[in-house]
Amino acid sequence: MTFVALVDDHELLRTGLAAMINSFEGFKVVMEANNGQQFVEKIKTTKINPDIVLLDITMPQMDGYETSSWIKSNLPQTRVLVLSMLENDTAIIRMLKNGARGYILKDSKPKIFKDALDSIRDSGYYINDLVSNKLMHYINHEEVYDNDAMALSNLSENEITFLKWICTEKTYKEIADEMCLSPRTIDTYRDNLFKKLDVKTRVGLAIFAIKNGIVTI
Amino acid sequence: MTFVALVDDHELLRTGLAAMINSFEGFKVVMEANNGQQFVEKIKTTKINPDIVLLDITMPQMDGYETSSWIKSNLPQTRVLVLSMLENDTAIIRMLKNGARGYILKDSKPKIFKDALDSIRDSGYYINDLVSNKLMHYINHEEVYDNDAMALSNLSENEITFLKWICTEKTYKEIADEMCLSPRTIDTYRDNLFKKLDVKTRVGLAIFAIKNGIVTI
DNA sequence: ATGAAGCACCGTGTTTTCACCGTTTTATTA
DNA sequence: TAATAAAACGGTGAAAACACGGTGCTTCAT
């Protein structure tokens, strides 16, 4: 029997998932959590040790990236299968770098699910087209992903906050007021981010912020 | 027994939903569809007549707005319960205007689901805080919603195209080149959209375009 | 202790964006 | 065909955004 944990903030989806997975021969859902933090707590307080964790990316408190890293270092025998709506290269590569063994979209058909779980249990990995394409692409364009994937983690708290304000209609001067910083500093933030993220305009920054979940619209 | 139809392009969510609803006393899922168009076809070809339709908004082919309108005029005794991730005012008001009897978020707890279904079966409506707040607000700011909801359909082809370019890093002059129009015309497009959409900056336009699916990022 | 790295800050100048005014052209239809 | 709406185009000036080249002040590892 393979034990499965579900980590996703959508309770409804979780309920459906649990029902489905429990209906699969040889699989049993033994834990559910709303986010990474709750998952970590449950791991620590209970003695439950899941074989496979079905993990969402966008969650409050502790997101999928962090959670997957944590699992990689604290539960090395536990395998992560990402279950996300995000289809963009950065998210997929980043999760794989953080130890994920497979990546499937939330609107997949049940059969895909079964296949993925079987494959991860038996071979340790589930390599679908989504993943293999990104991997192939990654091999040839590593720099791009490095820039992009690292970008997020290389951003300071202030830069993240700044990116949130970027997605409003405030001027840089007004943003400076909001953040209690000099307008010049804000200019520097912008210029640095232009370089870091390889964009040239405020719209570029806004798109980046949205794409990477720094702001939700 | 109350018959329920599920219209949502996320098969997994549908599976979970179906399992959950079938577990509720007195409810039975009698039809599932991937989108509005498929739903309409099934209604026409089969003799199934659902009492309640659980309807998503963002779907390919025929979205929730259209589908709800169609149900309103073709199946007047069928009641629509919206099930969406969208929490923004425009979406909620627009669905209610198109005949929806209730609106719940996809990450609601199962109990909310049961309550909503019971309420719609018994009283015809499910008025939660989400809906009542928007309704109250709507009473007092009707113009705003009219502007917003109508905005999308009031946009010309060129304006839509322009909004796509807005979400790039091109300057207005470059956009003018791309669209084979004078820079002045582009200025006018921008100014008109500022008024129509009630925004003040290019970032505002970009956010609107993304929010309303004119561009996908 | 020193040199590299990062953050906050500043000045100047150019380009782009935005606001407000108006004219010509095209299409529609009464 | 004259009236009318709309789309395309234009000028000007102020405000905002962007580019570039800096200064101090920490921090922190060598």
Side-chain angles (χ1 to χ4, degrees), chain A residues 156 158 180-182 184-185 188-189 196:
Chain A
S156 69
N158 267 351
C180 298
L181 289 170
S182 151
R184 297 299 175 177
T185 303
T188 310
Y189 281 11
K196 280 195 198 181

PDB file of all heavy atoms in Angstrom, chain A residues 156 158 180-182 184-185 188-189 196, chain C residues 6-13 16-18:
ATOM      1  N   SER A 156      15.197  41.154  -2.920  1.00  0.00           N
ATOM      2  CA  SER A 156      15.086  41.513  -1.501  1.00  0.00           C
ATOM      3  C   SER A 156      13.625  41.731  -1.142  1.00  0.00           C
ATOM      4  O   SER A 156      12.764  41.849  -2.007  1.00  0.00           O
ATOM      5  CB  SER A 156      15.876  42.787  -1.233  1.00  0.00           C
ATOM      6  OG  SER A 156      15.242  43.875  -1.862  1.00  0.00           O
ATOM      7  N   ASN A 158      12.318  44.361   0.049  1.00  0.00           N
ATOM      8  CA  ASN A 158      11.884  45.652  -0.490  1.00  0.00           C
ATOM      9  C   ASN A 158      11.577  45.579  -1.978  1.00  0.00           C
ATOM     10  O   ASN A 158      10.637  46.216  -2.446  1.00  0.00           O
ATOM     11  CB  ASN A 158      12.965  46.706  -0.240  1.00  0.00           C
ATOM     12  CG  ASN A 158      12.712  47.444   1.060  1.00  0.00           C
ATOM     13  OD1 ASN A 158      11.658  47.280   1.679  1.00  0.00           O
ATOM     14  ND2 ASN A 158      13.667  48.260   1.462  1.00  0.00           N
ATOM     15  N   CYS A 180       8.112  54.662   2.320  1.00  0.00           N
ATOM     16  CA  CYS A 180       8.943  55.497   3.190  1.00  0.00           C
ATOM     17  C   CYS A 180      10.409  55.467   2.744  1.00  0.00           C
ATOM     18  O   CYS A 180      11.326  55.243   3.550  1.00  0.00           O
ATOM     19  CB  CYS A 180       8.816  55.064   4.643  1.00  0.00           C
ATOM     20  SG  CYS A 180       7.158  55.218   5.282  1.00  0.00           S
ATOM     21  N   LEU A 181      10.608  55.670   1.459  1.00  0.00           N
ATOM     22  CA  LEU A 181      11.961  55.718   0.908  1.00  0.00           C
ATOM     23  C   LEU A 181      12.047  56.922  -0.021  1.00  0.00           C
ATOM     24  O   LEU A 181      11.029  57.473  -0.437  1.00  0.00           O
ATOM     25  CB  LEU A 181      12.258  54.444   0.097  1.00  0.00           C
ATOM     26  CG  LEU A 181      12.435  53.145   0.897  1.00  0.00           C
ATOM     27  CD1 LEU A 181      12.464  51.957  -0.027  1.00  0.00           C
ATOM     28  CD2 LEU A 181      13.697  53.221   1.744  1.00  0.00           C
ATOM     29  N   SER A 182      13.274  57.307  -0.330  1.00  0.00           N
ATOM     30  CA  SER A 182      13.462  58.434  -1.241  1.00  0.00           C
ATOM     31  C   SER A 182      13.096  58.033  -2.667  1.00  0.00           C
ATOM     32  O   SER A 182      13.330  56.897  -3.075  1.00  0.00           O
ATOM     33  CB  SER A 182      14.910  58.889  -1.187  1.00  0.00           C
ATOM     34  OG  SER A 182      15.296  59.449  -2.416  1.00  0.00           O
ATOM     35  N   ARG A 184      14.600  58.656  -5.227  1.00  0.00           N
ATOM     36  CA  ARG A 184      15.826  58.208  -5.896  1.00  0.00           C
ATOM     37  C   ARG A 184      16.065  56.725  -5.650  1.00  0.00           C
ATOM     38  O   ARG A 184      16.486  55.988  -6.542  1.00  0.00           O
ATOM     39  CB  ARG A 184      17.027  58.998  -5.388  1.00  0.00           C
ATOM     40  CG  ARG A 184      16.946  60.456  -5.686  1.00  0.00           C
ATOM     41  CD  ARG A 184      16.885  60.685  -7.175  1.00  0.00           C
ATOM     42  NE  ARG A 184      16.700  62.087  -7.462  1.00  0.00           N
ATOM     43  CZ  ARG A 184      16.662  62.587  -8.669  1.00  0.00           C
ATOM     44  NH1 ARG A 184      16.754  61.775  -9.704  1.00  0.00           N
ATOM     45  NH2 ARG A 184      16.504  63.862  -8.852  1.00  0.00           N
ATOM     46  N   THR A 185      15.828  56.315  -4.439  1.00  0.00           N
ATOM     47  CA  THR A 185      16.014  54.904  -4.112  1.00  0.00           C
ATOM     48  C   THR A 185      15.074  54.047  -4.951  1.00  0.00           C
ATOM     49  O   THR A 185      15.471  53.003  -5.482  1.00  0.00           O
ATOM     50  CB  THR A 185      15.728  54.675  -2.624  1.00  0.00           C
ATOM     51  OG1 THR A 185      16.585  55.535  -1.882  1.00  0.00           O
ATOM     52  CG2 THR A 185      15.984  53.243  -2.230  1.00  0.00           C
ATOM     53  N   THR A 188      16.393  53.590  -8.233  1.00  0.00           N
ATOM     54  CA  THR A 188      17.438  52.565  -8.249  1.00  0.00           C
ATOM     55  C   THR A 188      16.829  51.167  -8.230  1.00  0.00           C
ATOM     56  O   THR A 188      17.276  50.279  -8.957  1.00  0.00           O
ATOM     57  CB  THR A 188      18.367  52.736  -7.041  1.00  0.00           C
ATOM     58  OG1 THR A 188      18.781  54.107  -6.970  1.00  0.00           O
ATOM     59  CG2 THR A 188      19.585  51.860  -7.174  1.00  0.00           C
ATOM     60  N   TYR A 189      15.819  50.969  -7.390  1.00  0.00           N
ATOM     61  CA  TYR A 189      15.125  49.672  -7.368  1.00  0.00           C
ATOM     62  C   TYR A 189      14.698  49.300  -8.777  1.00  0.00           C
ATOM     63  O   TYR A 189      14.939  48.196  -9.257  1.00  0.00           O
ATOM     64  CB  TYR A 189      13.883  49.749  -6.479  1.00  0.00           C
ATOM     65  CG  TYR A 189      14.160  49.653  -5.000  1.00  0.00           C
ATOM     66  CD1 TYR A 189      15.452  49.726  -4.501  1.00  0.00           C
ATOM     67  CD2 TYR A 189      13.122  49.490  -4.098  1.00  0.00           C
ATOM     68  CE1 TYR A 189      15.697  49.653  -3.154  1.00  0.00           C
ATOM     69  CE2 TYR A 189      13.357  49.398  -2.752  1.00  0.00           C
ATOM     70  CZ  TYR A 189      14.646  49.482  -2.274  1.00  0.00           C
ATOM     71  OH  TYR A 189      14.876  49.404  -0.940  1.00  0.00           O
ATOM     72  N   LYS A 196      18.144  42.921 -13.494  1.00  0.00           N
ATOM     73  CA  LYS A 196      17.981  41.562 -12.957  1.00  0.00           C
ATOM     74  C   LYS A 196      16.991  40.743 -13.767  1.00  0.00           C
ATOM     75  O   LYS A 196      17.198  39.563 -14.020  1.00  0.00           O
ATOM     76  CB  LYS A 196      17.470  41.625 -11.509  1.00  0.00           C
ATOM     77  CG  LYS A 196      18.539  41.916 -10.460  1.00  0.00           C
ATOM     78  CD  LYS A 196      17.995  41.596  -9.074  1.00  0.00           C
ATOM     79  CE  LYS A 196      18.821  42.266  -7.982  1.00  0.00           C
ATOM     80  NZ  LYS A 196      18.305  41.942  -6.630  1.00  0.00           N
TER      81      LYS A 196
ATOM     82  P    DG C   6      26.203  41.719  -4.246  1.00  0.00           P
ATOM     83  OP1  DG C   6      25.507  40.430  -4.457  1.00  0.00           O
ATOM     84  OP2  DG C   6      26.610  42.559  -5.393  1.00  0.00           O
ATOM     85  O5'  DG C   6      25.301  42.607  -3.281  1.00  0.00           O
ATOM     86  C5'  DG C   6      25.093  42.190  -1.942  1.00  0.00           C
ATOM     87  C4'  DG C   6      24.462  43.323  -1.165  1.00  0.00           C
ATOM     88  O4'  DG C   6      25.467  44.339  -0.910  1.00  0.00           O
ATOM     89  C3'  DG C   6      23.327  44.024  -1.918  1.00  0.00           C
ATOM     90  O3'  DG C   6      22.196  44.134  -1.064  1.00  0.00           O
ATOM     91  C2'  DG C   6      23.888  45.394  -2.256  1.00  0.00           C
ATOM     92  C1'  DG C   6      24.874  45.606  -1.120  1.00  0.00           C
ATOM     93  N9   DG C   6      25.922  46.570  -1.415  1.00  0.00           N
ATOM     94  C8   DG C   6      26.716  46.632  -2.537  1.00  0.00           C
ATOM     95  N7   DG C   6      27.573  47.631  -2.510  1.00  0.00           N
ATOM     96  C5   DG C   6      27.321  48.263  -1.300  1.00  0.00           C
ATOM     97  C6   DG C   6      27.926  49.407  -0.711  1.00  0.00           C
ATOM     98  O6   DG C   6      28.833  50.106  -1.157  1.00  0.00           O
ATOM     99  N1   DG C   6      27.358  49.707   0.536  1.00  0.00           N
ATOM    100  C2   DG C   6      26.350  48.984   1.128  1.00  0.00           C
ATOM    101  N2   DG C   6      25.926  49.420   2.324  1.00  0.00           N
ATOM    102  N3   DG C   6      25.778  47.918   0.589  1.00  0.00           N
ATOM    103  C4   DG C   6      26.314  47.614  -0.611  1.00  0.00           C
ATOM    104  P    DC C   7      20.778  44.493  -1.700  1.00  0.00           P
ATOM    105  OP1  DC C   7      19.826  43.435  -1.314  1.00  0.00           O
ATOM    106  OP2  DC C   7      20.980  44.855  -3.128  1.00  0.00           O
ATOM    107  O5'  DC C   7      20.360  45.820  -0.932  1.00  0.00           O
ATOM    108  C5'  DC C   7      20.524  45.885   0.480  1.00  0.00           C
ATOM    109  C4'  DC C   7      20.667  47.331   0.897  1.00  0.00           C
ATOM    110  O4'  DC C   7      21.929  47.856   0.422  1.00  0.00           O
ATOM    111  C3'  DC C   7      19.582  48.266   0.340  1.00  0.00           C
ATOM    112  O3'  DC C   7      18.924  48.881   1.429  1.00  0.00           O
ATOM    113  C2'  DC C   7      20.354  49.270  -0.512  1.00  0.00           C
ATOM    114  C1'  DC C   7      21.742  49.219   0.112  1.00  0.00           C
ATOM    115  N1   DC C   7      22.853  49.625  -0.779  1.00  0.00           N
ATOM    116  C2   DC C   7      23.656  50.718  -0.413  1.00  0.00           C
ATOM    117  O2   DC C   7      23.409  51.317   0.636  1.00  0.00           O
ATOM    118  N3   DC C   7      24.685  51.083  -1.224  1.00  0.00           N
ATOM    119  C4   DC C   7      24.918  50.409  -2.348  1.00  0.00           C
ATOM    120  N4   DC C   7      25.940  50.805  -3.106  1.00  0.00           N
ATOM    121  C5   DC C   7      24.112  49.291  -2.732  1.00  0.00           C
ATOM    122  C6   DC C   7      23.104  48.936  -1.926  1.00  0.00           C
ATOM    123  P    DA C   8      17.453  49.487   1.174  1.00  0.00           P
ATOM    124  OP1  DA C   8      16.625  49.224   2.368  1.00  0.00           O
ATOM    125  OP2  DA C   8      16.993  49.074  -0.162  1.00  0.00           O
ATOM    126  O5'  DA C   8      17.757  51.052   1.143  1.00  0.00           O
ATOM    127  C5'  DA C   8      18.129  51.707   2.348  1.00  0.00           C
ATOM    128  C4'  DA C   8      18.727  53.049   2.015  1.00  0.00           C
ATOM    129  O4'  DA C   8      19.876  52.855   1.173  1.00  0.00           O
ATOM    130  C3'  DA C   8      17.804  53.998   1.242  1.00  0.00           C
ATOM    131  O3'  DA C   8      17.535  55.141   2.054  1.00  0.00           O
ATOM    132  C2'  DA C   8      18.578  54.345  -0.016  1.00  0.00           C
ATOM    133  C1'  DA C   8      20.004  53.995   0.357  1.00  0.00           C
ATOM    134  N9   DA C   8      20.842  53.637  -0.780  1.00  0.00           N
ATOM    135  C8   DA C   8      20.658  52.619  -1.668  1.00  0.00           C
ATOM    136  N7   DA C   8      21.591  52.540  -2.589  1.00  0.00           N
ATOM    137  C5   DA C   8      22.447  53.584  -2.280  1.00  0.00           C
ATOM    138  C6   DA C   8      23.640  54.056  -2.873  1.00  0.00           C
ATOM    139  N6   DA C   8      24.176  53.482  -3.962  1.00  0.00           N
ATOM    140  N1   DA C   8      24.240  55.126  -2.306  1.00  0.00           N
ATOM    141  C2   DA C   8      23.691  55.675  -1.219  1.00  0.00           C
ATOM    142  N3   DA C   8      22.572  55.333  -0.559  1.00  0.00           N
ATOM    143  C4   DA C   8      22.005  54.270  -1.155  1.00  0.00           C
ATOM    144  P    DC C   9      16.563  56.302   1.503  1.00  0.00           P
ATOM    145  OP1  DC C   9      16.094  57.041   2.691  1.00  0.00           O
ATOM    146  OP2  DC C   9      15.604  55.713   0.560  1.00  0.00           O
ATOM    147  O5'  DC C   9      17.550  57.248   0.686  1.00  0.00           O
ATOM    148  C5'  DC C   9      18.698  57.778   1.319  1.00  0.00           C
ATOM    149  C4'  DC C   9      19.594  58.437   0.282  1.00  0.00           C
ATOM    150  O4'  DC C   9      20.143  57.441  -0.596  1.00  0.00           O
ATOM    151  C3'  DC C   9      18.894  59.424  -0.640  1.00  0.00           C
ATOM    152  O3'  DC C   9      19.168  60.739  -0.190  1.00  0.00           O
ATOM    153  C2'  DC C   9      19.489  59.149  -2.023  1.00  0.00           C
ATOM    154  C1'  DC C   9      20.575  58.128  -1.742  1.00  0.00           C
ATOM    155  N1   DC C   9      20.778  57.162  -2.845  1.00  0.00           N
ATOM    156  C2   DC C   9      21.874  57.313  -3.680  1.00  0.00           C
ATOM    157  O2   DC C   9      22.638  58.255  -3.484  1.00  0.00           O
ATOM    158  N3   DC C   9      22.052  56.432  -4.695  1.00  0.00           N
ATOM    159  C4   DC C   9      21.195  55.428  -4.875  1.00  0.00           C
ATOM    160  N4   DC C   9      21.430  54.584  -5.877  1.00  0.00           N
ATOM    161  C5   DC C   9      20.066  55.248  -4.018  1.00  0.00           C
ATOM    162  C6   DC C   9      19.890  56.129  -3.032  1.00  0.00           C
ATOM    163  P    DC C  10      18.320  61.955  -0.724  1.00  0.00           P
ATOM    164  OP1  DC C  10      18.394  62.999   0.304  1.00  0.00           O
ATOM    165  OP2  DC C  10      17.010  61.463  -1.203  1.00  0.00           O
ATOM    166  O5'  DC C  10      19.158  62.430  -1.993  1.00  0.00           O
ATOM    167  C5'  DC C  10      20.490  62.914  -1.820  1.00  0.00           C
ATOM    168  C4'  DC C  10      21.135  63.114  -3.166  1.00  0.00           C
ATOM    169  O4'  DC C  10      21.320  61.835  -3.795  1.00  0.00           O
ATOM    170  C3'  DC C  10      20.311  63.938  -4.170  1.00  0.00           C
ATOM    171  O3'  DC C  10      20.928  65.200  -4.301  1.00  0.00           O
ATOM    172  C2'  DC C  10      20.350  63.132  -5.470  1.00  0.00           C
ATOM    173  C1'  DC C  10      21.441  62.091  -5.179  1.00  0.00           C
ATOM    174  N1   DC C  10      21.278  60.798  -5.911  1.00  0.00           N
ATOM    175  C2   DC C  10      22.051  60.552  -7.044  1.00  0.00           C
ATOM    176  O2   DC C  10      22.844  61.410  -7.434  1.00  0.00           O
ATOM    177  N3   DC C  10      21.902  59.359  -7.696  1.00  0.00           N
ATOM    178  C4   DC C  10      21.035  58.461  -7.234  1.00  0.00           C
ATOM    179  N4   DC C  10      20.924  57.305  -7.898  1.00  0.00           N
ATOM    180  C5   DC C  10      20.240  58.698  -6.068  1.00  0.00           C
ATOM    181  C6   DC C  10      20.389  59.869  -5.439  1.00  0.00           C
ATOM    182  P    DG C  11      20.170  66.391  -5.089  1.00  0.00           P
ATOM    183  OP1  DG C  11      20.548  67.674  -4.450  1.00  0.00           O
ATOM    184  OP2  DG C  11      18.747  66.014  -5.254  1.00  0.00           O
ATOM    185  O5'  DG C  11      20.871  66.348  -6.523  1.00  0.00           O
ATOM    186  C5'  DG C  11      22.268  66.202  -6.613  1.00  0.00           C
ATOM    187  C4'  DG C  11      22.708  66.417  -8.064  1.00  0.00           C
ATOM    188  O4'  DG C  11      22.725  65.131  -8.751  1.00  0.00           O
ATOM    189  C3'  DG C  11      21.787  67.328  -8.870  1.00  0.00           C
ATOM    190  O3'  DG C  11      22.606  68.165  -9.676  1.00  0.00           O
ATOM    191  C2'  DG C  11      20.937  66.362  -9.701  1.00  0.00           C
ATOM    192  C1'  DG C  11      21.864  65.156  -9.876  1.00  0.00           C
ATOM    193  N9   DG C  11      21.194  63.858  -9.897  1.00  0.00           N
ATOM    194  C8   DG C  11      20.243  63.392  -9.008  1.00  0.00           C
ATOM    195  N7   DG C  11      19.837  62.176  -9.266  1.00  0.00           N
ATOM    196  C5   DG C  11      20.559  61.820 -10.405  1.00  0.00           C
ATOM    197  C6   DG C  11      20.534  60.616 -11.143  1.00  0.00           C
ATOM    198  O6   DG C  11      19.858  59.598 -10.939  1.00  0.00           O
ATOM    199  N1   DG C  11      21.427  60.665 -12.221  1.00  0.00           N
ATOM    200  C2   DG C  11      22.227  61.732 -12.529  1.00  0.00           C
ATOM    201  N2   DG C  11      23.013  61.589 -13.601  1.00  0.00           N
ATOM    202  N3   DG C  11      22.258  62.864 -11.842  1.00  0.00           N
ATOM    203  C4   DG C  11      21.400  62.834 -10.801  1.00  0.00           C
ATOM    204  P    DT C  12      21.958  69.252 -10.655  1.00  0.00           P
ATOM    205  OP1  DT C  12      22.943  70.357 -10.773  1.00  0.00           O
ATOM    206  OP2  DT C  12      20.565  69.525 -10.253  1.00  0.00           O
ATOM    207  O5'  DT C  12      21.935  68.473 -12.043  1.00  0.00           O
ATOM    208  C5'  DT C  12      23.104  67.792 -12.476  1.00  0.00           C
ATOM    209  C4'  DT C  12      22.861  67.194 -13.854  1.00  0.00           C
ATOM    210  O4'  DT C  12      22.244  65.874 -13.713  1.00  0.00           O
ATOM    211  C3'  DT C  12      21.937  68.013 -14.750  1.00  0.00           C
ATOM    212  O3'  DT C  12      22.509  68.098 -16.048  1.00  0.00           O
ATOM    213  C2'  DT C  12      20.638  67.202 -14.767  1.00  0.00           C
ATOM    214  C1'  DT C  12      21.169  65.784 -14.622  1.00  0.00           C
ATOM    215  N1   DT C  12      20.212  64.793 -14.074  1.00  0.00           N
ATOM    216  C2   DT C  12      20.144  63.550 -14.675  1.00  0.00           C
ATOM    217  O2   DT C  12      20.828  63.229 -15.620  1.00  0.00           O
ATOM    218  N3   DT C  12      19.229  62.691 -14.103  1.00  0.00           N
ATOM    219  C4   DT C  12      18.402  62.944 -13.029  1.00  0.00           C
ATOM    220  O4   DT C  12      17.626  62.095 -12.608  1.00  0.00           O
ATOM    221  C5   DT C  12      18.520  64.267 -12.453  1.00  0.00           C
ATOM    222  C7   DT C  12      17.655  64.648 -11.291  1.00  0.00           C
ATOM    223  C6   DT C  12      19.403  65.115 -12.999  1.00  0.00           C
ATOM    224  P    DG C  13      21.860  69.059 -17.144  1.00  0.00           P
ATOM    225  OP1  DG C  13      22.951  69.846 -17.752  1.00  0.00           O
ATOM    226  OP2  DG C  13      20.673  69.726 -16.550  1.00  0.00           O
ATOM    227  O5'  DG C  13      21.347  68.009 -18.223  1.00  0.00           O
ATOM    228  C5'  DG C  13      22.201  66.942 -18.639  1.00  0.00           C
ATOM    229  C4'  DG C  13      21.394  65.948 -19.460  1.00  0.00           C
ATOM    230  O4'  DG C  13      20.610  65.107 -18.560  1.00  0.00           O
ATOM    231  C3'  DG C  13      20.387  66.616 -20.407  1.00  0.00           C
ATOM    232  O3'  DG C  13      20.470  66.009 -21.679  1.00  0.00           O
ATOM    233  C2'  DG C  13      19.037  66.356 -19.760  1.00  0.00           C
ATOM    234  C1'  DG C  13      19.282  65.036 -19.039  1.00  0.00           C
ATOM    235  N9   DG C  13      18.390  64.789 -17.910  1.00  0.00           N
ATOM    236  C8   DG C  13      18.023  65.684 -16.925  1.00  0.00           C
ATOM    237  N7   DG C  13      17.197  65.156 -16.042  1.00  0.00           N
ATOM    238  C5   DG C  13      17.012  63.852 -16.477  1.00  0.00           C
ATOM    239  C6   DG C  13      16.219  62.817 -15.936  1.00  0.00           C
ATOM    240  O6   DG C  13      15.517  62.839 -14.929  1.00  0.00           O
ATOM    241  N1   DG C  13      16.319  61.646 -16.695  1.00  0.00           N
ATOM    242  C2   DG C  13      17.080  61.515 -17.831  1.00  0.00           C
ATOM    243  N2   DG C  13      17.051  60.321 -18.424  1.00  0.00           N
ATOM    244  N3   DG C  13      17.817  62.478 -18.343  1.00  0.00           N
ATOM    245  C4   DG C  13      17.736  63.611 -17.622  1.00  0.00           C
ATOM    246  P    DT C  16      11.485  57.247 -26.908  1.00  0.00           P
ATOM    247  OP1  DT C  16      11.806  55.891 -27.385  1.00  0.00           O
ATOM    248  OP2  DT C  16      11.191  58.340 -27.868  1.00  0.00           O
ATOM    249  O5'  DT C  16      10.255  57.135 -25.904  1.00  0.00           O
ATOM    250  C5'  DT C  16      10.433  56.463 -24.681  1.00  0.00           C
ATOM    251  C4'  DT C  16       9.268  56.747 -23.765  1.00  0.00           C
ATOM    252  O4'  DT C  16       9.316  58.097 -23.281  1.00  0.00           O
ATOM    253  C3'  DT C  16       7.894  56.563 -24.413  1.00  0.00           C
ATOM    254  O3'  DT C  16       7.239  55.539 -23.693  1.00  0.00           O
ATOM    255  C2'  DT C  16       7.231  57.935 -24.291  1.00  0.00           C
ATOM    256  C1'  DT C  16       7.992  58.558 -23.124  1.00  0.00           C
ATOM    257  N1   DT C  16       8.070  60.046 -23.093  1.00  0.00           N
ATOM    258  C2   DT C  16       7.580  60.727 -22.002  1.00  0.00           C
ATOM    259  O2   DT C  16       7.057  60.169 -21.049  1.00  0.00           O
ATOM    260  N3   DT C  16       7.729  62.089 -22.053  1.00  0.00           N
ATOM    261  C4   DT C  16       8.308  62.827 -23.083  1.00  0.00           C
ATOM    262  O4   DT C  16       8.378  64.037 -23.013  1.00  0.00           O
ATOM    263  C5   DT C  16       8.798  62.048 -24.198  1.00  0.00           C
ATOM    264  C7   DT C  16       9.429  62.745 -25.355  1.00  0.00           C
ATOM    265  C6   DT C  16       8.656  60.714 -24.153  1.00  0.00           C
ATOM    266  P    DT C  17       5.715  55.118 -24.059  1.00  0.00           P
ATOM    267  OP1  DT C  17       5.572  53.702 -23.687  1.00  0.00           O
ATOM    268  OP2  DT C  17       5.392  55.572 -25.421  1.00  0.00           O
ATOM    269  O5'  DT C  17       4.900  55.990 -23.020  1.00  0.00           O
ATOM    270  C5'  DT C  17       5.265  55.945 -21.655  1.00  0.00           C
ATOM    271  C4'  DT C  17       4.420  56.924 -20.868  1.00  0.00           C
ATOM    272  O4'  DT C  17       4.789  58.279 -21.213  1.00  0.00           O
ATOM    273  C3'  DT C  17       2.917  56.820 -21.096  1.00  0.00           C
ATOM    274  O3'  DT C  17       2.320  56.723 -19.826  1.00  0.00           O
ATOM    275  C2'  DT C  17       2.573  58.117 -21.844  1.00  0.00           C
ATOM    276  C1'  DT C  17       3.621  59.063 -21.286  1.00  0.00           C
ATOM    277  N1   DT C  17       3.977  60.251 -22.096  1.00  0.00           N
ATOM    278  C2   DT C  17       3.888  61.507 -21.526  1.00  0.00           C
ATOM    279  O2   DT C  17       3.498  61.694 -20.383  1.00  0.00           O
ATOM    280  N3   DT C  17       4.273  62.545 -22.353  1.00  0.00           N
ATOM    281  C4   DT C  17       4.737  62.443 -23.657  1.00  0.00           C
ATOM    282  O4   DT C  17       5.051  63.432 -24.297  1.00  0.00           O
ATOM    283  C5   DT C  17       4.797  61.102 -24.184  1.00  0.00           C
ATOM    284  C7   DT C  17       5.278  60.885 -25.578  1.00  0.00           C
ATOM    285  C6   DT C  17       4.420  60.081 -23.396  1.00  0.00           C
ATOM    286  P    DC C  18       0.750  56.320 -19.742  1.00  0.00           P
ATOM    287  OP1  DC C  18       0.569  55.669 -18.423  1.00  0.00           O
ATOM    288  OP2  DC C  18       0.351  55.639 -20.968  1.00  0.00           O
ATOM    289  O5'  DC C  18       0.032  57.743 -19.671  1.00  0.00           O
ATOM    290  C5'  DC C  18       0.217  58.536 -18.504  1.00  0.00           C
ATOM    291  C4'  DC C  18      -0.277  59.951 -18.733  1.00  0.00           C
ATOM    292  O4'  DC C  18       0.467  60.575 -19.797  1.00  0.00           O
ATOM    293  C3'  DC C  18      -1.759  60.092 -19.124  1.00  0.00           C
ATOM    294  O3'  DC C  18      -2.414  60.762 -18.084  1.00  0.00           O
ATOM    295  C2'  DC C  18      -1.719  60.875 -20.437  1.00  0.00           C
ATOM    296  C1'  DC C  18      -0.360  61.567 -20.357  1.00  0.00           C
ATOM    297  N1   DC C  18       0.245  61.992 -21.659  1.00  0.00           N
ATOM    298  C2   DC C  18       0.565  63.331 -21.851  1.00  0.00           C
ATOM    299  O2   DC C  18       0.330  64.140 -20.947  1.00  0.00           O
ATOM    300  N3   DC C  18       1.132  63.703 -23.021  1.00  0.00           N
ATOM    301  C4   DC C  18       1.382  62.798 -23.974  1.00  0.00           C
ATOM    302  N4   DC C  18       1.947  63.209 -25.111  1.00  0.00           N
ATOM    303  C5   DC C  18       1.057  61.417 -23.792  1.00  0.00           C
ATOM    304  C6   DC C  18       0.490  61.057 -22.636  1.00  0.00           C
TER     305       DC C  18
END
